[in-house]
Amino acid sequence: MVDGLLKSQEVLSCQVPEVNWEVLSEEVDRDLRSLSGWTAEDFLDDACDQLDKHFHVIGAARDVAFRLRVQFAFSLLLEADKAFLAVHPCDLPRYLAPRRAHLDPGVVQRFLAQKPASDVNPLREAARRELLAGMARHAEKRVQTLTLPTGTGKTLLAATWVLHHRANRAENEPPPLVLVVLPFLSIIDQTVREYRELFKESGLEDGDLISYHSLSDRTYARDLEDRSQDFLLDTWHSSVVITTFDQFLLALLSPKGRHQMRFHHLADAVIVLDEVQALPPCLWALVRAVLPTLVHQGNTRVLAMSATNPGFLPDAAELASDPTTFFRQMRRYQLVLRHRTRMKLSEFVQECVRRLCEWNGQKVLITLNTRRSARAVREALRGAGATVEFITADVNPHDRLAAIERIKTAASCVVVSTQCIEAGVDIDMHRVIRDFGPLDSLIQVAGRCNRNGGFSRGEVEVVCLEEDDRETTFASYIYDEVLRTVTAEVLGTSAEIPEEEVYPLTLDYFRRLAASKDTGEETLRKWASWETVDPIRELFRGKQPRKVAFVVIEQDPSLRGELLAACEVPDRWERRRALRKLAARLAQRTVTVYCREGLDPERYADAFPPGKSGEEAWFWLLRTGLYTPESGLDLGARVSEEEGWGVIV
């Protein structure tokens, strides 16, 4: 932290002489006139002395509370400073007005009453009763967890939780921000739709419910000036914000100003972390320390939800008094464990083709670990006459989401996917086949099998595929050895495991991981003592090789001209704003691949901005004929091996 202060000396040397200490004293109601003779060096020396004293006396290597207090003050000042420049004068009343959207807790019950009957509806209603009882039982606990099987309606359970806490604020308190945090864009899309449907009779105004991620619309409200739109979106100036783990972690932990501008909103919020198992072990210690401190210092409440709760919040109150009870009632599928005998990819492809007749009239999901293995299976099934939905990161987000909607309404289909479909996507399949992976991933994708309990018990087959020309499993390209080893140990020698016996396995799995993996204690120490840590996105996703982004420009032809026009805007801030307005359209049509040796983007696309080449290009506008919605990007070469998590942003 001291190093960071010293880097500010040049800027402070320009700013300090310009401060009117008399006026500032009046504004903050504190006499600061004695500082009028101080130089930038004086301020830096004093700040360094104070920090050294703090860390020496308090032992602040783990003083998370101190850092959060500093972040809170910085966040408030930063937003105030940015607002002065970013909000158009005619939009100031909208910006200064507190959140007042009326969100009636009773809407969930009325919404549920309109839902069609389902075999799992009684269990969903029991889960809702359990949630309400748990909330009453643990009312004083501000960090809570909810561990329930997939398909028990966790989206609406979360809505019940946030609306209850929002309604229970005192009349003189402004309603808190409702923040729903999810790992995958496909889940965000369906969650936003469900929340909009839930609140359609509540009279929400523009901006009362926003989604914030790379594919979201950059419009806050139609009647605001452009510069105000961006600012109100970027500061989460809303009643309900639905966003990604990336954006939440950046607001909570990143030191960068563009993220810290949102931090103070977390200090008075009700926060749902859905599919919390998506947080990697290297972040467990940091999140375990920061969340309880945040809720203790602020007026925040947190609910962490999952069917495979990783258990890194040991002091949280579990709202389900006995999660085992719910899991034992679930008899929708059984795991069929075939992974102990490895299978060549070509053998697996032949087996899938042979089984097409067996799958006639069914909805079958085949989930592979890499784009290449998924494409091999897809091409073979298509060659055998099957209609196949293809969902991998070779397919852009727009077409992936469209495919998910078709799957939902189809009576029968074969779906070939990578891991991007495994958590939270509301599809209901008769059968699932999954290449080997970590236990939580296996259980999450199993949640797509007989999701609504309307079929006879389905099968989730776990296989272990390897390359044809060498003994390398596709799982080893994606998951580290510890995850694979612990999963194999937990599954043991069983040939079949029914769903009702899965929950104890997940507890054992995460206990073993906590003992075997780096849970980020050193990262926590560095973060709390203001030392440099790895970028938050890198901690969340792991280190990524360099990537190349191809934009399927033929799907949005006018985008090319609008991009060129935006680049020609003279003022750099207006130019940046014009480009940001196009960001969602770009992301919807983008396919990202790892930059492998031999991949020359100029063979397939035009660099943007024009005149750039190689690593200087921002992205590449793909030429016609190299992409179709059905098969995605096909450059006819091995341009990627590992699966690209194109739905995490």
Side-chain angles (χ1 to χ4, degrees):
M1 184 177 182
V2 171
D3 290 342
L5 284 172
L6 295 176
K7 291 177 182 177
S8 305
Q9 184 166 348
E10 184 176 346
V11 174
L12 288 173
S13 297
C14 298
Q15 293 179 340
V16 168
E18 302 299 321
V19 176
N20 187 322
W21 294 101
E22 187 168 341
V23 172
L24 184 59
S25 297
E26 293 177 3
E27 290 293 331
V28 300
D29 194 25
R30 185 172 180 178
D31 190 356
L32 302 174
R33 288 173 295 183
S34 62
L35 301 176
S36 60
W38 282 35
T39 65
E41 291 79 6
D42 294 330
F43 280 105
L44 287 170
D45 288 344
D46 185 70
C48 291
D49 289 343
Q50 293 293 331
L51 285 171
D52 288 341
K53 178 181 177 181
H54 174 85
F55 289 134
H56 177 71
V57 173
I58 302 180
R62 299 289 297 273
D63 192 4
V64 174
F66 174 69
R67 172 148 185 170
L68 293 188
R69 287 196 298 271
V70 173
Q71 286 187 187
F72 182 75
F74 176 64
S75 179
L76 286 170
L77 293 170
L78 186 63
E79 181 178 330
D81 180 59
K82 296 288 186 182
F84 181 77
L85 298 172
V87 181
H88 193 279
C90 68
D91 297 328
L92 280 174
R94 178 70 175 270
Y95 168 63
L96 296 173
R99 292 184 290 265
R100 292 295 181 191
H102 175 67
L103 302 177
D104 177 12
V107 299
V108 177
Q109 190 63 33
R110 295 193 292 272
F111 185 74
L112 286 171
Q114 303 170 8
K115 289 279 189 177
S118 166
D119 289 350
V120 297
N121 276 0
L123 195 62
R124 289 171 178 166
E125 185 57 38
R128 188 165 183 271
R129 292 193 299 270
E130 185 76 1
L131 170 77
L132 295 171
M135 291 167 63
R137 190 168 57 249
H138 299 294
E140 76 291 350
K141 287 280 194 175
R142 291 182 170 271
V143 180
Q144 301 174 339
T145 58
L146 183 62
T147 307
L148 290 172
T150 57
T152 47
K154 288 198 289 294
T155 298
L156 292 178
L157 291 174
T160 299
W161 185 86
V162 297
L163 293 176
H164 171 86
H165 288 300
R166 196 176 188 274
N168 280 358
R169 289 291 176 95
E171 289 186 7
N172 60 339
E173 291 184 33
L177 169 69
V178 172
L179 186 65
V180 181
V181 184
L182 301 152
F184 306 116
L185 285 182
S186 50
I187 313 175
I188 286 186
D189 184 65
Q190 69 186 32
T191 302
V192 169
R193 287 200 304 270
E194 194 146 11
Y195 270 84
R196 291 198 186 282
E197 182 68 18
L198 187 65
F199 296 135
K200 69 179 180 181
E201 306 298 335
S202 298
L204 294 186
E205 299 180 1
D206 286 346
D208 284 339
L209 191 162
I210 64 172
S211 59
Y212 191 88
H213 53 82
S214 66
L215 302 189
S216 56
D217 184 12
R218 293 296 302 176
T219 302
Y220 177 85
R222 305 291 171 184
D223 58 340
L224 295 180
E225 297 290 331
D226 278 353
R227 75 186 197 193
S228 302
Q229 306 271 6
D230 280 346
F231 181 77
L232 291 173
L233 285 169
D234 290 340
T235 55
W236 291 349
H237 192 79
S238 182
S239 294
V240 181
V241 176
I242 300 176
T243 190
T244 58
F245 271 94
D246 273 67
Q247 297 298 333
F248 170 70
L249 291 171
L250 289 168
L252 183 66
L253 303 170
S254 173
K256 294 185 180 296
R258 66 179 181 271
H259 306 306
Q260 277 300 299
M261 195 163 54
R262 297 190 284 271
F263 174 79
H264 67 279
H265 292 295
L266 303 180
D268 184 33
V270 287
I271 303 172
V272 173
L273 304 177
D274 199 2
E275 306 292 357
V276 71
Q277 81 286 342
L279 284 172
C282 66
L283 281 169
W284 288 359
L286 190 54
V287 174
R288 179 170 58 240
V290 173
L291 282 184
T293 309
L294 176 70
V295 304
H296 176 72
Q297 294 188 160
N299 200 20
T300 307
R301 287 184 178 270
V302 176
L303 176 65
M305 306 174 67
S306 179
T308 52
N309 193 329
F312 62 80
L313 298 171
D315 296 326
E318 172 58 50
L319 298 183
S321 58
D322 183 9
T324 307
T325 302
F326 286 89
F327 283 87
R328 284 177 178 166
Q329 295 180 64
M330 286 297 195
R331 293 172 169 80
R332 297 170 298 179
Y333 67 80
Q334 65 180 1
L335 297 176
V336 178
L337 302 176
R338 304 172 52 196
H339 64 282
R340 296 180 194 92
T341 302
R342 293 185 180 187
M343 185 183 303
K344 296 294 185 183
L345 177 61
S346 59
E347 296 174 17
F348 179 73
V349 166
Q350 293 168 11
E351 177 185 294
C352 289
V353 171
R354 288 196 304 270
R355 297 178 70 180
L356 280 175
C357 293
E358 172 192 340
W359 299 339
N360 187 40
Q362 294 185 350
K363 297 172 76 169
V364 178
L365 170 63
I366 305 171
T367 300
L368 289 307
N369 281 325
T370 69
R371 306 189 212 189
R372 180 163 55 84
S373 57
R375 184 173 295 279
V377 174
R378 186 254 180 197
E379 296 303 321
L381 293 176
R382 289 275 295 177
T387 300
V388 181
E389 294 288 0
F390 191 51
I391 303 179
T392 78
D394 278 340
V395 180
N396 66 36
H398 174 271
D399 293 328
R400 284 200 302 265
L401 295 174
I404 289 170
E405 291 305 308
R406 292 194 298 271
I407 295 166
K408 289 180 180 180
T409 58
S412 63
C413 61
V414 176
V415 180
V416 177
S417 80
T418 49
Q419 311 95 313
C420 58
I421 204 169
E422 72 185 17
V425 180
D426 189 13
I427 59 173
D428 194 1
M429 313 298 289
H430 292 84
R431 178 184 298 275
V432 172
I433 304 174
R434 173 65 158 93
D435 195 3
F436 187 72
L439 183 67
D440 58 317
S441 294
L442 301 182
I443 301 307
Q444 289 294 334
V445 79
R448 310 316 114 201
C449 184
N450 197 14
R451 183 175 179 83
N452 294 320
F455 316 134
S456 57
R457 189 189 289 263
E459 290 188 344
V460 179
E461 302 177 38
V462 180
V463 297
C464 185
L465 305 182
E466 66 179 13
E467 298 275 15
D468 285 335
D469 56 355
R470 56 190 183 276
E471 296 181 355
T472 304
T473 65
F474 290 96
S476 66
Y477 292 134
I478 311 299
Y479 306 114
D480 71 40
E481 186 177 359
V482 173
L483 296 176
R484 305 194 315 269
T485 300
V486 170
T487 299
E489 291 172 352
V490 169
L491 292 177
T493 59
S494 301
E496 297 177 351
I497 300 176
E499 182 184 13
E500 54 269 33
E501 296 179 12
V502 159
Y503 179 61
L505 298 182
T506 64
L507 298 179
D508 187 22
Y509 172 74
F510 284 114
R511 277 195 296 267
R512 292 174 185 244
L513 277 192
S516 305
K517 292 283 288 181
D518 172 19
T519 57
E521 293 291 344
E522 178 64 9
T523 299
L524 169 60
R525 185 198 65 77
K526 288 182 176 180
W527 185 88
S529 57
W530 302 81
E531 297 178 31
T532 301
V533 300
D534 291 337
I536 299 303
R537 276 200 173 102
E538 187 175 299
L539 289 171
F540 182 45
R541 302 189 198 183
K543 292 185 178 181
Q544 299 287 308
R546 191 169 70 85
K547 297 179 181 179
V548 177
F550 291 103
V551 180
V552 188
I553 196 68
E554 64 184 297
Q555 292 187 333
D556 192 349
S558 64
L559 186 56
R560 186 191 297 264
E562 292 176 60
L563 284 166
L564 291 170
C567 284
E568 293 172 0
V569 173
D571 181 81
R572 66 171 180 149
W573 297 109
E574 292 297 327
R575 182 167 62 251
R576 180 175 179 269
R577 191 171 295 119
L579 288 168
R580 287 192 75 183
K581 289 179 69 174
L582 301 174
R585 286 167 62 189
L586 276 171
Q588 285 274 1
R589 308 295 183 178
T590 295
V591 176
T592 302
V593 301
Y594 293 119
C595 190
R596 298 290 179 187
E597 184 179 354
L599 173 62
D600 180 6
E602 294 187 36
R603 292 177 55 194
Y604 314 105
D606 302 321
F608 192 90
K612 300 290 185 181
S613 62
E615 295 184 26
E616 293 182 345
W618 300 352
F619 46 81
W620 298 80
L621 304 182
L622 192 69
R623 298 185 191 118
T624 303
L626 297 172
Y627 178 94
T628 66
E630 297 77 22
S631 63
L633 179 70
D634 189 358
L635 303 182
R638 286 188 177 185
V639 297
S640 67
E641 194 70 76
E642 295 87 353
E643 162 64 3
W645 286 88
V647 288
I648 299 182
V649 291

